[in-house]
Amino acid sequence: MNKTNLVDKFVTQVIAESDFTELDRIYLYNRVLALVGDAAMTAESESTNLLDLKNELVALAQQNGKCARNNSAQDILGAELMSLILPAPSIVNQRFWQSYETSPTAAISSFYHMSKTSDYIKTRAIAKNIYFIAKSNYGDLEITINLSKPEKDPKEIAAAKDAVASDYPKCQLCMENEGYQGRLNYPARSNHRIIRFSLGQEEWGFQYSPYAYFNEHCIFLSSKHEKMKIDVQTFSNLLTIVDKFPGYFVGSNADLPIVGGSILTHEHYQGGRHQFPMEKAPLIHKFRFAGFPDVEAGIVKWPMSVIRLRSSNSMLLVELAGKILAKWQNYSDEQVSIRAFSNNTQHHTITPIARMHDNEYELDLVLRDNQTSEEYPDGIFHPHPDVQHIKRENIGLIEVMGLAILPPRLVGEMTEVKKFLLKRPNQISKIHLEWASAIKEKHNITAENVNQVLQEELGLVFERVLEDTGVFKQTAAGKAAFMRFIAEVGLA
């Protein structure tokens, strides 16, 4: 073995992180050469980190014509190289469930480690995200500017238009992604593994999110490519998952446009090991529902409209949540512009989140309404036009819980806003001018405090975004209307 040769060093790391042994060294060396080209035989490296070595191999392959010079080809080759450390899906599943019998936590931790080591979870890209805490009237909010996903190369976008259309896999949440090589307009998944498990009477999968927004951000997905839906089975599924995956919360995006997530075509949930701001929020009004004396209930102090249920009996929570959903789907209150239907179109659904709290099941039910109007064509309970210069996208599960996912465009735009606030030459966008002018009037801006002020003000915008999406507003009239709905469900 040449201790400075790039391929040899990569193979050494593969052996250290996989089931391969020294007996497999020649085989692995040749497999790497087949992927990156014979020029790698003379390439040397000072790196010892597996991801650094992988990146050097991809760069070398691009130099010698074995890999096209675009992001998609780079990702495809990188995933193929990293897949060398992974066992077959059947072995991954066998080991997971064998370990699970002894320690569910250890099994989950091992799968998470494997997903990071294989570069399926893009830890280096995720580290580029901007993150900070902002104070609000509802407790601390979490703000991120998402910089992890690579921007599309214009040439790739143009080439993708001419690529042969394919409906395989049907979407990025289908089981068929496991091991899929990828293509110009579809992500590489050679290094992807999914844990199978039963949920109700169906097969589901457990995997991690490649571009995680929080600690151990994972996805639970149906084996069937079917549209998302919120029903009684959803509540049962979520509470079963928090049993199966200790320490994790799990929630579902709503199943209607405007208030739903970015993928409504495949039934799935999101979870992980993270305590969101909404979970920390207290109850401002406690009560019991008729027929459910063993379920604690209350309204959460939160800008959105949240009913929290807690009990040691998960079946009671499922039954009560089903009753609340059925009432909400058909509930209207014209006094506060809440309408269940218009022209036979359903407007009401729920964003549910489940977790364990002090050894009891806890279920948060966030009431959603996707109406539009002439004044608010994007959605009455959607970020209103005056805050869309910061956030115009749908407010999905993660943001409902108090973690803002702001677009990468804001990095450059906020740089110009800072210059404006400091009275320096700038190219501030017109969409930010009114907001920035108000900030300048409100604060004594200096070079030392401009970053802190801007973070505080972004937090206030996110607070407003959440208030816009709340169906019962934080006013006397809104709170009274919320209690009218609670009474309609049936108080004890």
Side-chain angles (χ1 to χ4, degrees):
M1 183 188 76
N2 183 341
K3 293 185 178 180
T4 61
N5 177 259
L6 173 58
V7 179
D8 271 323
K9 295 184 83 171
F10 180 75
V11 168
T12 296
Q13 292 298 317
V14 169
I15 291 172
E17 294 288 351
S18 70
D19 295 340
F20 288 114
T21 70
E22 277 299 320
L23 188 62
D24 303 305
R25 179 173 290 277
I26 294 173
Y27 165 80
L28 288 169
Y29 186 92
N30 288 328
R31 296 318 305 149
V32 174
L33 289 183
L35 292 171
V36 304
D38 290 349
M41 287 191 290
T42 57
E44 296 191 347
S45 174
E46 296 181 358
S47 301
T48 56
N49 179 273
L50 181 60
L51 292 183
D52 290 336
L53 293 166
K54 180 265 293 183
N55 290 339
E56 290 178 29
L57 286 169
V58 171
L60 185 62
Q62 289 180 316
Q63 290 172 20
N64 62 33
K66 286 288 286 185
C67 176
R69 292 180 178 271
N70 61 59
N71 290 336
S72 293
Q74 176 179 302
D75 289 345
I76 288 170
L77 177 55
E80 286 189 281
L81 287 167
M82 296 306 292
S83 71
L84 290 172
I85 72 169
L86 295 175
S90 58
I91 302 300
V92 171
N93 274 264
Q94 181 185 51
R95 290 176 180 172
F96 179 90
W97 291 113
Q98 284 178 343
S99 175
Y100 186 94
E101 289 181 6
T102 304
S103 171
T105 301
I108 294 167
S109 177
S110 178
F111 183 56
Y112 180 59
H113 173 79
M114 186 191 77
S115 299
K116 288 192 297 181
T117 305
S118 66
D119 199 36
Y120 179 71
I121 300 175
K122 304 295 183 183
T123 54
R124 292 187 173 184
I126 294 165
K128 298 176 184 177
N129 290 342
I130 295 170
Y131 174 91
F132 58 91
I133 296 292
K135 295 188 180 302
S136 80
N137 291 320
Y138 309 94
D140 290 343
L141 300 176
E142 297 177 276
I143 314 293
T144 64
I145 299 179
N146 178 25
L147 301 175
S148 59
K149 292 185 180 180
E151 293 188 24
K152 291 285 186 182
D153 185 304
K155 293 180 180 178
E156 284 187 76
I157 295 172
K161 292 180 180 178
D162 299 324
V164 176
S166 173
D167 63 352
Y168 181 86
K170 286 187 175 67
C171 79
Q172 293 185 29
L173 292 177
C174 284
M175 293 280 194
E176 287 77 15
N177 285 279
E178 189 174 44
Y180 186 69
Q181 184 181 40
R183 55 182 189 268
L184 190 60
N185 57 354
Y186 199 92
R189 292 290 182 260
S190 297
N191 55 342
H192 180 31
R193 297 294 183 267
I194 304 172
I195 301 299
R196 272 62 165 191
F197 68 101
S198 295
L199 193 56
Q201 302 300 313
E202 298 182 349
E203 181 186 54
W204 278 62
F206 160 55
Q207 66 180 59
Y208 286 99
S209 174
Y211 295 100
Y213 293 126
F214 50 85
N215 187 38
E216 297 185 43
H217 183 180
C218 63
I219 300 171
F220 301 95
L221 53 106
S222 172
S223 61
K224 300 176 182 177
H225 181 73
E226 295 179 344
K227 291 181 180 180
M228 289 189 66
K229 58 184 179 296
I230 301 295
D231 56 19
V232 173
Q233 187 61 50
T234 304
F235 306 134
S236 177
N237 287 350
L238 296 180
L239 293 170
T240 299
I241 286 172
V242 296
D243 260 340
K244 282 182 176 287
F245 296 87
Y248 277 16
F249 84 92
V250 62
S252 175
N253 268 305
D255 55 348
L256 295 179
I258 297 178
V259 297
S262 58
I263 300 178
L264 296 178
T265 56
H266 195 117
E267 180 79 306
H268 71 286
Y269 313 132
Q270 296 182 73
R273 197 181 303 277
H274 185 72
Q275 189 179 38
F276 286 86
M278 190 174 80
E279 180 182 349
K280 302 173 188 176
L283 297 180
I284 55 174
H285 193 69
K286 298 180 181 180
F287 43 81
R288 302 267 175 169
F289 285 104
F292 296 90
D294 295 329
V295 177
E296 298 176 25
I299 292 174
V300 180
K301 184 185 178 183
W302 195 244
M304 299 184 74
S305 306
V306 188
I307 301 170
R308 178 167 294 164
L309 308 177
R310 186 186 292 180
S311 176
S312 59
N313 187 326
S314 63
M315 293 178 66
L316 287 178
L317 288 188
V318 171
E319 184 182 351
L320 178 53
K323 181 178 181 180
I324 293 170
L325 174 63
K327 287 289 185 183
W328 177 241
Q329 287 174 327
N330 294 281
Y331 184 80
S332 296
D333 187 340
E334 292 288 345
Q335 295 182 54
V336 286
S337 301
I338 289 174
R339 302 171 190 88
F341 293 91
S342 61
N343 299 321
N344 296 318
T345 298
Q346 181 181 323
H347 292 306
H348 287 178
T349 187
I350 281 175
T351 299
I353 302 102
R355 63 183 80 89
M356 296 298 294
H357 190 91
D358 294 336
N359 296 316
E360 288 191 308
Y361 298 96
E362 191 168 87
L363 190 60
D364 282 353
L365 306 176
V366 188
L367 307 181
R368 311 300 301 272
D369 182 321
N370 78 342
Q371 289 181 82
T372 60
S373 67
E374 287 188 14
E375 184 180 5
Y376 300 115
D378 296 324
I380 296 173
F381 303 102
H382 181 79
H384 288 177
D386 64 316
V387 293
Q388 288 186 7
H389 65 105
I390 299 296
K391 178 70 176 177
R392 66 173 69 98
E393 298 82 7
N394 291 358
I395 301 306
L397 171 68
I398 295 169
E399 288 166 317
V400 163
M401 296 185 290
L403 170 57
I405 304 167
L406 302 180
R409 64 177 172 84
L410 287 179
V411 174
E413 292 174 10
M414 290 304 105
T415 297
E416 298 305 315
V417 169
K418 289 177 192 177
K419 293 177 185 177
F420 172 83
L421 294 174
L422 293 169
K423 301 178 182 179
R424 296 173 181 171
N426 63 82
Q427 295 180 316
I428 187 172
S429 171
K430 290 181 180 179
I431 63 172
H432 296 306
L433 190 54
E434 183 178 349
W435 174 66
S437 297
I439 294 173
K440 186 185 287 188
E441 290 293 320
K442 182 179 175 183
H443 298 275
N444 179 26
I445 306 293
T446 67
E448 288 72 29
N449 73 5
V450 65
N451 287 329
Q452 182 61 38
V453 167
L454 201 51
Q455 288 184 1
E456 290 174 4
E457 293 295 333
L458 284 169
L460 291 176
V461 172
F462 182 50
E463 178 181 350
R464 248 294 311 285
V465 163
L466 294 180
E467 288 177 339
D468 285 350
T469 57
V471 294
F472 295 111
K473 302 304 181 186
Q474 302 298 311
T475 62
K479 292 173 182 177
F482 201 165
M483 285 309 300
R484 286 198 296 273
F485 172 69
I486 297 296
E488 185 72 16
V489 177
L491 286 170

